[in-house]
Amino acid sequence: MNILHTSFECYPIAKVGGLADVVGALPKYQKKTGLNTSVITPFYNNPYIQKSKLETVYTNIIPLAEITYPFSIKKIISPDLRFDAYLVYIEGMLDRPNVYNYKDDPERCITFQLAVLDWISGIDIAPDIVHCHDHHTGLIPFMMSHAYKYEKLQRIPTVLTIHNAQYQGQLSFDKLNYLPDFDKQKIGLLDWDNCINPLASGIKCAWQVTAVSNSYMHELQEKANGLENLLKHEQKKCVGILNGIDTKTWDPETDPMVIKNYNRTSAVENRKENKNWICNHFNLDTNKPLFGFIGRLVDEKGADLLPDIIKESLTNNNTINILILGSGNLETEERLQSLQKEFSGKYNVFIGYDEKLSRIIYAGVDFLLMPSRVEPCGLNQLYALRYGTIPIVRRTGGLKDTVIDIEENGFGICHNDSSVRDVCHAVQRAVTLYKDQKKYGEIQQQIMQIDHSWSRSAHQYVTIYETLIQYK
């Protein structure tokens, strides 16, 4: 069975967030089940692609309204990926260094989808399943089912995975001419709230819809940025499948980015070297419990709460250190930076993203803060568990599905609300746990052996694919 994943991100080709990690790992594990998996993303003018050997396998021209764009499909020649990876190259459109935040992102998304469909229409062996990820590829199911140009693709099943329903890619209807001709009686399949909504269209038109955790799929029926009623209506074809992590890429015993490698047996001693490096580098105290945060500094991650959490925690408790790694909302960045002088020696922040530093933080901090308001699945808590760091999480989405509180015979610290009060209380609970080094060490040993690989989830997707093929 040939499976084509379509996505705007895929690690290590291009990464902004967890979407890249999922699309870069799931196909590897699906391949182990016997599937023939491949991924197609836009071409990015970034270091990874610049260093890669590329082979052009297809060329053609696509129209976008009154403009035509020559495009090419380039295959990455790299055995390290462990799946076939393709890039859509369009000069001036899909050849930029960054993934998002361009004024013409809607046009970039649509030309990408058009090129993908033109390619699979023109090759001899079409995929058996087209698996779309998030709104960037949400119009593919509609066009495969209803665009006259892609009539030959109508019977190919499509799967849409929702990684984050907050972002939907809305377009005004004056851009309807971007799409190839279709039966206008089907225009309602594009419409949600009087605009073209790619995510809503994907939910309506995909043969199967998945979300990245069971809890998130249930939560979407109550809070989905306006799509709640649609998801309730389509619930029979919706299912939650918990994300996994690539346990070969994320392995503290072999990770080349950490200061000192370790396994369960050597974790207690060797993790200290990673913590020492962090504390020396950021002027923190190695003898105090170290709390970390890694992620986008946006409200949905609870990042706007961090300055007050830091201030209250460090004012009332002189026995902890806190380190923040992230970027996002400028006001939050400035507030976090403004605290550096006041709490020098107890707190620091790195504005930006650094993959190596994030790995060292996972390998060196004692606790990881995740006060998220929305967390579809969450991968950071899974990385933390893999590296022996105890997560402190709000009970929401995938965090609720993957972290059990220590008071419930679990291994993490959970709180119900994204509030300064709740998080500070959780921090105090963590300090109490840290003082009991015997219990802390036992939990650390326990969490490092939890299996959060993609194996089980990959098989769940295989079951979905096999079911859809029966109706092809």
Side-chain angles (χ1 to χ4, degrees):
M1 196 186 317
N2 296 315
I3 312 299
L4 176 65
H5 291 271
T6 66
S7 174
F8 245 57
E9 299 181 42
C10 175
Y11 181 82
I13 298 167
K15 175 178 176 177
V16 172
L19 171 61
D21 291 324
V22 172
V23 180
L26 176 58
K28 296 179 189 177
Y29 285 82
Q30 289 181 328
K31 201 147 196 170
K32 292 179 181 179
T33 69
L35 298 180
N36 182 26
T37 55
S38 57
V39 175
I40 187 161
T41 74
F43 179 103
Y44 296 105
N45 188 17
N46 62 22
Y48 180 86
I49 293 177
Q50 289 168 2
K51 295 174 185 175
S52 298
K53 181 180 179 182
L54 305 178
E55 175 189 352
T56 299
V57 297
Y58 186 82
T59 59
N60 210 332
I61 295 173
I62 51 170
L64 187 74
E66 305 301 320
I67 305 173
T68 56
Y69 291 93
F71 75 93
S72 60
I73 306 295
K74 300 179 184 294
K75 183 177 182 180
I76 299 177
I77 311 300
S78 172
D80 296 336
L81 286 174
R82 288 180 276 159
F83 56 82
D84 291 337
Y86 299 90
L87 308 170
V88 176
Y89 176 83
I90 301 176
E91 185 176 357
M93 184 73 74
L94 300 179
D95 61 350
R96 301 178 191 175
N98 298 321
V99 179
Y100 308 122
N101 297 323
Y102 295 101
K103 289 183 178 180
D104 59 350
D105 276 352
E107 287 75 16
R108 295 174 66 239
C109 288
I110 291 178
T111 53
F112 171 68
Q113 294 172 89
L114 291 172
V116 169
L117 293 180
D118 194 276
W119 172 50
I120 62 177
S121 296
I123 57 179
D124 293 333
I125 303 176
D128 295 301
I129 301 280
V130 175
H131 193 146
C132 306
H133 294 269
D134 266 352
H135 76 84
H136 322 99
T137 58
L139 293 174
I140 285 177
F142 172 82
M143 291 190 286
M144 287 178 64
S145 296
H146 301 294
Y148 300 134
K149 183 178 181 180
Y150 305 124
E151 190 174 0
K152 65 180 290 188
L153 305 178
Q154 281 182 356
R155 299 309 304 160
I156 297 177
T158 52
V159 177
L160 172 70
T161 294
I162 303 172
H163 297 259
N164 193 333
Q166 297 301 303
Y167 305 99
Q168 300 173 10
Q170 293 95 329
L171 305 161
S172 61
F173 267 103
D174 61 8
K175 291 182 169 60
L176 186 64
N177 62 345
Y178 286 176
L179 303 183
D181 196 22
F182 62 92
D183 180 355
K184 295 305 186 288
Q185 291 185 1
K186 304 294 184 182
I187 198 168
L189 294 172
L190 295 170
D191 178 40
W192 194 258
D193 199 20
N194 298 315
C195 66
I196 299 172
N197 186 313
L199 187 63
S201 178
I203 293 168
K204 294 175 185 180
C205 297
W207 293 33
Q208 180 81 52
V209 177
T210 71
V212 292
S213 70
N214 284 318
S215 289
Y216 186 55
M217 180 57 85
H218 291 304
E219 289 170 8
L220 284 175
Q221 295 185 27
E222 303 301 326
K223 189 175 182 180
N225 199 14
L227 300 183
E228 299 84 2
N229 289 335
L230 174 60
L231 285 155
K232 287 176 184 176
H233 183 265
E234 300 287 358
Q235 62 182 301
K236 288 185 179 179
K237 68 174 181 181
C238 296
V239 63
I241 298 179
L242 189 67
N243 281 344
I245 60 173
D246 187 340
T247 52
K248 289 191 175 180
T249 300
W250 292 88
D251 184 351
E253 191 167 16
T254 58
D255 191 334
M257 298 188 195
V258 304
I259 303 303
K260 182 73 173 180
N261 293 109
Y262 58 92
N263 53 30
R264 282 181 60 232
T265 305
S266 59
V268 173
E269 287 303 315
N270 289 4
R271 286 185 101 255
K272 289 179 181 177
E273 294 199 31
N274 294 292
K275 183 175 181 179
N276 290 343
W277 183 92
I278 292 170
C279 291
N280 291 333
H281 200 75
F282 289 98
N283 186 32
L284 302 171
D285 189 339
T286 59
N287 296 313
K288 295 178 180 179
L290 178 57
F291 294 76
F293 173 94
I294 301 171
R296 292 180 294 124
L297 300 177
V298 294
D299 289 358
E300 68 184 73
K301 298 294 183 184
D304 57 308
L305 304 174
L306 288 173
D308 292 329
I309 291 167
I310 292 163
K311 195 161 188 173
E312 184 168 327
S313 295
L314 294 179
T315 299
N316 298 329
N317 194 331
N318 197 38
T319 64
I320 68 172
N321 285 175
I322 301 175
L323 176 63
I324 307 295
L325 167 63
S327 62
N329 181 274
L330 290 177
E331 181 182 351
T332 301
E333 290 181 2
E334 290 169 0
R335 290 184 67 203
L336 288 169
Q337 288 173 315
S338 71
L339 296 173
Q340 285 174 296
K341 186 175 180 180
E342 182 179 355
F343 296 108
S344 177
K346 297 188 286 186
Y347 158 75
N348 217 325
V349 59
F350 182 100
I351 299 297
Y353 183 75
D354 185 305
E355 183 76 19
K356 180 178 175 65
L357 177 57
S358 74
R359 300 292 185 108
I360 298 171
I361 291 174
Y362 285 121
V365 300
D366 302 300
F367 300 95
L368 185 76
L369 296 167
M370 295 186 70
S372 305
R373 291 186 175 89
V374 178
E375 198 62 74
C377 174
L379 295 176
N380 288 12
Q381 82 278 15
L382 304 184
Y383 300 144
L385 294 169
R386 176 79 168 150
Y387 280 60
T389 294
I390 296 176
I392 301 175
V393 306
R394 178 180 172 243
R395 291 184 177 95
T396 186
L399 299 178
K400 184 163 65 173
D401 291 349
T402 56
V403 181
I404 303 170
D405 194 271
I406 55 175
E407 292 183 356
E408 300 168 1
N409 296 316
F411 44 80
I413 295 176
C414 305
H415 54 93
N416 290 325
D417 297 321
S418 281
S419 67
V420 174
R421 180 180 177 180
D422 261 30
V423 178
C424 288
H425 178 66
V427 167
Q428 191 54 53
R429 290 180 61 207
V431 172
T432 301
L433 172 62
Y434 187 81
K435 288 177 181 177
D436 186 347
Q437 278 293 296
K438 183 176 182 294
K439 184 176 181 181
Y440 179 89
E442 289 171 353
I443 292 174
Q444 192 172 69
Q445 292 284 304
Q446 177 188 357
I447 64 179
M448 289 186 69
Q449 59 185 332
I450 300 173
D451 181 11
H452 281 298
S453 74
W454 271 103
S455 298
R456 182 169 61 178
S457 301
H459 280 93
Q460 288 178 280
Y461 277 111
V462 171
T463 300
I464 286 174
Y465 297 156
E466 290 174 344
T467 302
L468 295 178
I469 288 293
Q470 293 177 8
Y471 297 102
K472 187 173 178 180

